[in-house]
Amino acid sequence: MSDIDKRNRLSEEPFTYRITKKGTVVIYYKGKQIKFSKDREALRLIERINEVEDNITELQLLLAKITGNFKRGNEKLGKNK
């Protein structure tokens, strides 16, 4: 087994994406928007998505790497309100 995704979190498919008519890419984590890409970044992202589209695990890993370490910092603010 690879060192990446030891706990099989990506097999649950938490990441989804949507490509808009304008060519922007919106990435969601469990239904919540977390990343918005446009212009050159979106074009490169669409190319990479098309390359790995057949393999679900690779697609999930790609989306996870693009979003970065987004779950650090302000995710507790909503609980305190």
Side-chain angles (χ1 to χ4, degrees):
M1 176 180 248
S2 173
D3 286 342
I4 299 173
D5 196 29
K6 286 184 182 179
R7 295 181 285 174
N8 275 338
R9 297 270 174 118
L10 295 179
S11 64
E12 298 169 1
E13 298 182 33
F15 292 98
T16 56
Y17 70 94
R18 184 172 56 101
I19 301 172
T20 64
K21 290 180 182 178
K22 291 184 178 181
T24 59
V25 179
V26 184
I27 301 175
Y28 300 92
Y29 178 78
K30 295 186 178 181
K32 294 182 181 179
Q33 178 181 335
I34 56 170
K35 177 107 173 137
F36 183 83
S37 300
K38 60 182 182 177
D39 299 329
R40 289 187 203 155
E41 182 183 4
L43 291 175
R44 281 187 263 132
L45 179 56
I46 291 169
E47 288 176 10
R48 292 179 66 191
I49 287 173
N50 289 335
E51 290 174 6
V52 297
E53 196 169 34
D54 298 333
N55 188 341
I56 301 292
T57 306
E58 288 292 321
L59 178 62
Q60 290 294 309
L61 183 60
L62 172 69
L63 294 174
K65 286 181 178 181
I66 289 169
T67 58
N69 198 4
F70 74 94
K71 290 188 72 176
R72 301 289 183 262
N74 64 357
E75 69 269 7
K76 293 183 181 179
L77 290 177
K79 294 180 182 176
N80 293 335
K81 287 186 177 180

